[in-house]
Amino acid sequence: MYKIMLQHKQRPRLDLDGFSYVRDRITSDKIYWRCIKYKSDHCHGRLHTCLESKTILKHPSDHICKFDAPENQVRQFSQQVTARALNTQENPDSLGHQAQYQTDSTFAHNIHKIAALAFHDPNSALNGFESLCERLDDQYDNILDYFEETYIDKLRSNLVRRKPLFEVNF
């Protein structure tokens, strides 16, 4: 069975047997599909489906492009995040971190450390934040940037911090 998804450009994409196809053209009774790697790899894989019954009329022709499982998994994950972001009020960045938070205990522990800064006095929170910035790797950058802009505020060029959006107060 195949699956049809809408791409970010709102152009339908059909996935079948690990290969992806984009809609090439439509007639009164058929949809013509071509390999998604038609331009990049000059692949001439094609198939035809019935417009009404959604069945495959002409099975896929041979592909010259290679099936790339990791690329397909990344694309499917990206589409799920995009669909969820379009259908909810959630930010796509937070959705990616949410999946990592739920599956990676080290990542979740480090996120707890960042959140715990809000419960420290302002000087300790600033020192703790700077310490975490030094110890955590690049995957935390956008989370640390958000925390800094919201609760600490970024340094000005004169090395003085402005008043943050939400101050850490006791």
Side-chain angles (χ1 to χ4, degrees), residues 108-154:
H109 182 67
N110 288 331
I111 295 299
H112 293 162
K113 290 178 185 177
I114 296 169
L117 293 174
F119 298 100
H120 289 273
D121 66 86
N123 288 333
S124 296
L126 180 59
N127 293 336
F129 174 79
E130 290 172 350
S131 174
L132 284 175
C133 286
E134 291 173 8
R135 289 188 289 155
L136 297 178
D137 59 19
D138 293 343
Q139 68 178 331
Y140 299 93
D141 281 352
N142 59 353
I143 298 167
L144 289 168
D145 287 345
Y146 170 80
F147 188 87
E148 184 177 26
E149 290 170 5
T150 307
Y151 299 104
I152 296 173
D153 212 5
K154 292 200 178 249

Side-chain angles (χ1 to χ4, degrees), residues 50-76:
C50 179
L51 189 60
E52 288 183 25
S53 66
K54 308 286 189 218
T55 58
I56 296 176
L57 300 174
K58 178 182 175 265
H59 287 277
S61 57
D62 290 336
H63 288 262
I64 62 170
C65 65
K66 291 192 168 71
F67 171 70
D68 188 359
E71 180 183 323
N72 284 344
Q73 289 175 336
V74 167
R75 187 173 55 240
Q76 287 174 356

Side-chain angles (χ1 to χ4, degrees), residues 9-92:
K9 297 176 184 174
Q10 299 303 315
R11 188 168 187 190
R13 192 190 81 233
L14 183 144
D15 292 326
L16 176 70
D17 298 332
F19 292 100
S20 296
Y21 304 84
V22 292
R23 188 178 67 205
D24 192 23
R25 64 178 191 260
I26 300 175
T27 63
S28 60
D29 59 341
K30 286 185 189 177
I31 302 176
Y32 294 84
W33 302 87
R34 70 171 185 226
C35 179
I36 199 165
K37 295 185 176 183
Y38 174 77
K39 290 181 180 177
S40 63
D41 293 355
H42 306 291
C43 183
H44 296 284
R46 295 184 174 270
L47 67 90
H48 305 165
T49 57
C50 179
L51 189 60
E52 288 183 25
S53 66
K54 308 286 189 218
T55 58
I56 296 176
L57 300 174
K58 178 182 175 265
H59 287 277
S61 57
D62 290 336
H63 288 262
I64 62 170
C65 65
K66 291 192 168 71
F67 171 70
D68 188 359
E71 180 183 323
N72 284 344
Q73 289 175 336
V74 167
R75 187 173 55 240
Q76 287 174 356
F77 176 75
S78 176
Q79 287 174 343
Q80 290 171 349
V81 169
T82 301
R84 190 165 164 191
L86 289 172
N87 295 323
T88 66
Q89 295 293 322
E90 296 174 280
N91 180 335

